[in-house]
Amino acid sequence: MPYALKQIYECIKTCALALQAALQTDDTSYLTTHNASGDTQLGIDVLADTLIEQHLLKLSCVRGVCSEEKSGALYKDCTTESNPLCDNTNDSLKVKLDSNSLSQSLQAPNGGLLVAYDPLDGSSLFDSNLSVGSIFGIYDGCFSAKHIIAAGYVVYGPRLEVVFAHNEVSHSFYNGKEWITKPNLTLKQQGKLNAPGGTQKHFSPIHRALIEGFFAQGYRLRYSGGMVPDLHQILCKGGGIFSYPATSDAPNGKLRKLFEVFPFAFIYQKAGGLAIDGVKNLLELPCLAFHESTPCFLGSKEEIEQVRNTYTTLGADNERESSR
């Protein structure tokens, strides 16, 4: 693994320990503010965002970051005139965060490594004491699928665990004193877990048929409402299917490409699985804005081929019916 990626990996571990400590609170109250996607923020969302941002921007190899909690990116390589956060004389960032400081460009001014992250995915589960997580996508020069070169996530659960993918998918947990390396994560050709996201009453007939088909084959329901723990369980158990489709209330899906979908698609492909939007490979999709979303299906090869066949066949049948 290149040294710069090792630095980011170690930084993620540091953030994980700091955020795990910060999560030991009974303050689960919502704020009056909303993130860039319109979700009402918890106090812990804002704390997690600030903590991760500050740690990442201390790394000289990281030239910019964007967070699921903010509307744009923060880049180091810019003029002081164009970005009040930037001070090129000492390569540091002034602490003055507002919407005017954020860039809407997906392209870094001078290239370099960029990190897109969801600081606390599944934070609505926090008051129920269910597992939550942080997600990281590492991009080279531009926030887009074709530029992602590594990805990782943290699970804050009964154990503190970090998964990081570059050429392979490494897995470690913290035993209270040090990080312990576990065997790399890989997916079998087929699993038995089914994690269907979205509200069922908003499912399309095609998707409903797909999900019911998996259950008819004996797949077991495993869905917590948290993307990180659900996808982590499938990886740890060696296979299955996670889906968040296009629905009548979210026709473009709900999960964001840069912060959630592309990182997990990268991890699943490196683990030997597949990741599609129903037909197309997720890592071949364009991304024109920071908070763009997409339907997504991630899992073992057998399950994803069933998804592709269902959406291709039934979708074509529906098109023929509608044209009559």
Side-chain angles (χ1 to χ4, degrees), residues 106-149:
L106 296 168
Q107 182 83 40
N110 295 317
L113 296 184
L114 312 172
V115 183
Y117 63 94
D118 185 345
L120 198 61
D121 183 77
S123 59
S124 63
L125 303 173
F126 181 51
D127 61 351
S128 303
N129 200 29
L130 295 177
S131 295
V132 294
S134 301
I135 309 171
F136 302 85
I138 296 92
Y139 300 83
D140 188 5
C142 181
F143 288 111
S144 71
K146 68 179 181 180
H147 288 89
I148 190 168
I149 60 170

Side-chain angles (χ1 to χ4, degrees), residues 212-227:
E212 291 175 354
F214 280 124
F215 286 134
Q217 295 173 58
Y219 280 75
R220 296 185 291 273
L221 175 64
R222 294 291 185 270
Y223 187 74
S224 71
M227 187 181 190

Side-chain angles (χ1 to χ4, degrees), residues 275-286 295 297 304 308 312:
I276 64 175
D277 67 353
V279 177
K280 298 178 182 177
N281 185 326
L282 289 172
L283 293 183
E284 294 176 355
L285 298 180
F297 302 82
I304 297 303
R308 198 193 307 271
T312 301

Side-chain angles (χ1 to χ4, degrees), residues 186-208:
T186 58
L187 289 166
K188 301 172 186 175
Q189 190 74 14
Q190 184 175 11
K192 279 296 180 184
L193 302 184
N194 185 10
T199 305
Q200 291 187 27
K201 76 172 185 176
H202 297 304
F203 284 176
S204 69
I206 293 176
H207 189 70
R208 184 171 289 107

Side-chain angles (χ1 to χ4, degrees), residues 55-92:
H55 276 82
L56 285 172
L57 289 175
K58 288 178 182 178
L59 299 178
S60 60
C61 64
V62 173
R63 307 313 302 170
V65 298
C66 66
S67 165
E68 193 254 356
E69 297 296 322
K70 293 192 173 73
S71 61
L74 291 167
Y75 295 120
K76 290 180 180 178
D77 299 317
C78 53
T79 64
T80 307
E81 291 78 12
S82 66
N83 187 337
L85 284 177
C86 211
D87 182 351
N88 290 322
T89 60
N90 60 12
D91 196 30
S92 65

